[in-house]
Amino acid sequence: MPQEQEQRFREQVLVNGEQVISNEGTIEELGEKARKQATSSKLKGLTAKGGTAETVIEVAKFVWDIIKDSKASAATEETTSRVLSVKDTNWENYELAKNFASDEITYKLDNFVGVNCYTVKFKVAGTYKAVNPDFGGKWIPNIHVTFSRCDANIPWVINGSAVIDSTYVSNIGTKENPIPQLVLNIKIKTDAKFALNWESHERTFEFILNGETGVKLIN
């Protein structure tokens, strides 16, 4: 119905509890604002220096589900990835890895009367600075997403995926001592059905992962 299509919402993104984005409007208006706030242009400088990724770096998985039907996935073999050398793709042969974790991201939507539609709180985590005794480089044996909250109120449903953008998988080290760097996109898509009409919204969070420095949120 027309009045349902024009419902207004407030979308918020917080980093470590501090609000960095607050948008209000219909779902269509929020989607347009999210597209304008995308930061892909900031990634153009991420290029390989020590050989192409295909000849140096092995990425275990480029896409995996992290939220399915409003339930966050556990950090298991199916929901993680790793970035290792093409010379040895067995993570057990890498040692001295350090833990990393991003800032905590809170993503939430409230309706026009202040009732929460959904809230997701997550971090990108894993291990980095791993070394292999047979060759050089700093490697990333584990990448996963951890959740401290993931819930949605009827009629909203959350689905999400982690996507490694193959365009920006690079070696910023040398061929002898590679340092893999990549861009990880966390895509959160939400859907709700009001009467006969579906409302859908998607927001993407971009992170840079680096074998030597860990993880950094871009947007």
Side-chain angles (χ1 to χ4, degrees), residues 56 135-139 171-179:
V56 178
F135 48 83
K138 299 289 178 65
W139 304 95
N171 170 24
I172 64 167
T174 64
K175 289 184 179 180
E176 294 75 23
N177 289 286
I179 299 174

Side-chain angles (χ1 to χ4, degrees), residues 4-11 23-30 33 109-113 115 117-118 156 192 194 199:
E4 292 173 320
Q5 294 180 24
E6 293 302 313
Q7 283 195 73
R8 299 186 68 81
F9 299 89
R10 184 186 184 202
E11 177 192 40
N23 294 325
E24 294 186 6
T26 65
I27 291 299
E28 182 178 349
E29 290 169 344
L30 293 178
K33 290 177 181 178
L109 185 80
D110 297 328
N111 67 17
F112 67 102
V113 294
V115 176
C117 302
Y118 55 80
W156 291 90
F194 301 100
E199 297 277 13

Side-chain angles (χ1 to χ4, degrees), residues 141-215:
N142 183 276
I143 305 166
H144 62 269
V145 183
T146 63
F147 294 87
S148 56
R149 181 175 176 183
C150 180
D151 52 60
N153 291 315
I154 296 174
W156 291 90
V157 177
I158 310 169
N159 288 288
S161 59
V163 180
I164 293 174
D165 190 334
S166 60
T167 304
Y168 301 110
V169 177
S170 302
N171 170 24
I172 64 167
T174 64
K175 289 184 179 180
E176 294 75 23
N177 289 286
I179 299 174
Q181 180 169 276
L182 57 139
V183 173
L184 177 69
N185 293 326
I186 304 299
K187 297 178 179 291
I188 298 177
K189 184 175 185 293
T190 56
D191 297 279
K193 189 174 184 180
F194 301 100
L196 299 177
N197 302 302
W198 282 96
E199 297 277 13
S200 297
H201 184 49
E202 181 174 299
R203 179 168 282 279
T204 299
F205 299 89
E206 291 179 325
F207 297 82
I208 292 179
L209 296 177
N210 183 291
E212 189 168 45
T213 61
V215 62

Side-chain angles (χ1 to χ4, degrees), residues 6-66:
E6 293 302 313
Q7 283 195 73
R8 299 186 68 81
F9 299 89
R10 184 186 184 202
E11 177 192 40
Q12 296 179 76
V13 175
L14 300 91
V15 177
N16 292 334
E18 182 178 345
Q19 181 175 285
V20 295
I21 293 175
S22 179
N23 294 325
E24 294 186 6
T26 65
I27 291 299
E28 182 178 349
E29 290 169 344
L30 293 178
E32 181 62 26
K33 290 177 181 178
R35 286 187 288 273
K36 289 181 178 179
Q37 290 164 346
T39 60
S40 58
S41 61
K42 295 181 180 180
L43 305 176
K44 292 180 179 178
L46 301 181
T47 56
K49 297 179 181 178
T52 64
E54 291 79 7
T55 61
V56 178
I57 296 166
E58 172 78 16
V59 179
K61 188 182 297 183
F62 282 89
V63 182
W64 66 100
D65 290 333
I66 56 173

